[in-house]
Amino acid sequence: MSAHVYPMPDAVKTDARLNPETYASKYQDSVSNPEAFWAKEGERLTWFSPYSKVKQTSFAPGNIDIQWYADGTLNACYNCVDRHLAERADKTAIIWEGDEVDVQKSISFRELHEQVAKFANGLKKLGVKKGDRVAIYMPMVPEAAYAMLACARLGAVHSVIFAGFSPNAIADRVNDCGAKVVITSNEGRRGGKGVPLKPNVDEALSDDACPTVEHVVILKHTDVAYDMQDGRDVWWHELIGDCDTDCPAEVMNAEDPLFILYTSGSTGQPKGVVHTTGGYMVYASMTHEYTFDIREDDVYWCAADVGWVTGHSYIVYGPLANGTTTLMFEGVPTYPDVSRIGKVVDKHKVNILYTAPTAIRALMAKGDSAAKGSKRDTLRILGSVGEPINPEAWEWYYKTIGNSRCPIVDTWWQTETGGILIAPFPAATDMKPGSAMLPFFGVKPKLVDNEGQELQGATEGNLIIEDSWPGQARTLWGDHERFEQTYFSTYKNVYFTGDGARRDEDGDFWITGRVDDVLNVSGHRLGTAEIESALVAHECVAEAAVVGYPHDLKGQGIYVYVTVVDGVEANDELKKTLVQWVRKELSPIATPDYIQWSPGLPKTRSGKIMRRILRKIAGNDYSNLGDTSTLADPSVVDSLIENRLNR
Ligand code: WTA
């Protein structure tokens, strides 16, 4: 299959960090001599005491042990804030663009230091110390970054919970890590509407459901008032009122945990992915610098949410470690209308824009109105992340947003990888719409068949990574066995990504999507099992099976098969109830698109649901269902096809 190839635009080529030759030789160097390569790269951080060890990693069965820079000490917050004070104190660290068009503010590195230090002292007053866990459930405001950095400053491990999650999901995450404090806001604002954050936290903590939580800190972001619980709740501004701006950064070991971030997997319980300090920071900083070819005066905008890993690595830790001005946007790309992104770019003279295909498709759906009212001529580089970008969306992004002048870096990576692993680095390569192209330094991607045999040349298979890189997750919180089971047991001695990929005749990678039971809905990662457990928790549901199907805007839609309990009437009223139920139990991002009543599900004789068949029916592509002879009752399939909803 030959793809249209776009050359790197000249504007980027002239003085980019990389060209095809320098990329190739640096890559070669990184994989043939990782020790020396990463020893040198580690110097990009400021260490309190230097490391003598660099890479100590094992993917061996029974001994998954990943350590980088293990005997060095440092502090992530110090690297993002304090060390810039000498040269960049007055430089803007964060530009905040509020939900409404005329609401904005700029925070210098000096102010960032003051705010973070004060808040860290506030947390100390609440008894937070090194090693404690702190949950952060915040809107996209600068205080979300202050909270993360303040935890890092104290050596407390933060766990940011996406502000779209419901009380149940909050409680699960808070309890899994045993958080001592929850930091939230009275209300968030998105697309002109209020999001009730404090009430969600109250509900999550009600009936002593989260016994480890001692305090809740509440940022007063809007004027909405909610009851405060005596002894437990404290306002952010009151907490820091008398706090000093002097708060020494804790000396942390490189392998001390920096944060936990929950993500969805194939089973019901979300996984607490653990990232540590040294390797993660080296990797976030380096990938940020190279992927976006960062310059000192750049204004850089990653339009993700801090509730996801992209917000951690590429709104907060990577850019701030590099002293880059990072823009935080509270709102949505379509509010007040689809011209918002372009206007924000012009207003703040944004040079680099990093967003998700789902946002691009939402704008593209409105023709060229997204480009109206803005010139976007400050843009130099565009980025894409979170899901495969279809060539139509790629071309539209390139031409309409980027005026055919800016390369698109289509970055493939995961919560577990900490940073970008595969991308078309400027100007290391030409671009092929839809292809993530080349591995980052030190990253060895390979394709294997279902038996784990390595596939050579132009081919398609399961994507594995052969060796460790500094940004890799170290474990799952409290469950190292599950870590091994999930990532290192399908194929031995390598990291299994859960993604499929194709490699073309030039050796470039095309990510084809998840090969496990993980969905990617509007760039949000969801486990089918999580949605299923929410559904079966409803008294009318006997059994539920959830699959994804191709969706024009969202990438994937959610298709649900439900068997009701005997005697329950399966009607439209119940469908509505179940939709509301899932939104409430889990999150509005998990809203089912279709619910099909299914008196029976296709199961093997051993009782295993054949999802392959359900996926095909949901995708309205049932002509070739493959072998159904192993089904306990093959007639179930005909009835499901007959009553399918996505036609
Ligand atoms: C998918 C987000 C294709 C992939 C950073 C991966 C992508 C999952 C891309 C991780 C891309 C991410 N092209 N697919 N450029 N980027 N994915 O953990 O399936 O929220 O496994 O991390 O998103 O999602 P997560």
Side-chain angles (χ1 to χ4, degrees), residues 107-317:
I107 296 108
S108 66
F109 277 98
R110 180 182 291 108
E111 288 169 87
L112 180 64
H113 175 260
E114 279 171 21
Q115 293 299 327
V116 169
K118 274 188 153 187
F119 191 62
N121 277 328
L123 290 177
K124 260 192 205 169
K125 282 199 296 192
L126 299 180
V128 174
K129 49 184 196 320
K130 185 171 176 168
D132 285 344
R133 274 82 58 211
V134 172
I136 299 177
Y137 181 69
M138 295 275 282
M140 282 291 292
V141 291
E143 287 82 358
Y146 303 166
M148 293 163 75
L149 292 166
C151 288
R153 194 167 192 85
L154 300 177
V157 185
H158 62 70
S159 171
V160 182
I161 302 170
F162 175 58
F165 277 119
S166 312
N168 273 331
I170 301 173
D172 281 350
R173 286 158 176 76
V174 163
N175 284 332
D176 188 81
C177 71
K180 193 171 186 176
V181 169
V182 180
I183 304 167
T184 188
S185 168
N186 54 343
E187 191 188 42
R189 302 286 310 169
R190 266 172 82 79
K193 296 194 192 91
V195 186
L197 300 180
K198 159 86 158 96
N200 285 348
V201 171
D202 284 341
E203 198 177 327
L205 305 188
S206 63
D207 301 327
D208 206 21
C210 301
T212 57
V213 175
E214 294 169 15
H215 294 284
V216 179
V217 182
I218 301 119
L219 175 77
K220 190 170 184 308
H221 179 46
T222 67
D223 289 331
V224 177
Y226 297 110
D227 287 345
M228 298 286 278
Q229 186 171 316
D230 252 4
R232 186 197 74 179
D233 295 352
V234 45
W235 287 110
W236 179 299
H237 58 273
E238 285 175 7
L239 180 69
I240 64 165
D242 59 353
C243 284
D244 210 83
T245 55
D246 181 29
C247 175
E250 195 73 30
V251 176
M252 303 300 287
N253 184 272
E255 283 302 334
D256 282 335
L258 176 61
F259 65 84
I260 304 168
L261 188 57
Y262 285 85
T263 190
S264 299
S266 306
T267 55
Q269 276 300 312
K271 302 176 293 200
V273 172
V274 176
H275 283 287
T276 56
T277 310
Y280 171 81
M281 289 298 293
V282 169
Y283 199 74
S285 153
M286 186 184 184
T287 48
H288 175 257
E289 178 186 326
Y290 277 84
T291 308
F292 303 107
D293 201 25
I294 290 293
R295 306 292 142 129
E296 181 65 38
D297 294 327
D298 277 342
V299 174
Y300 159 90
W301 178 15
C302 167
D305 192 287
V306 290
W308 308 113
V309 74
T310 308
H312 284 62
S313 302
Y314 299 115
I315 295 179
V316 179
Y317 289 114

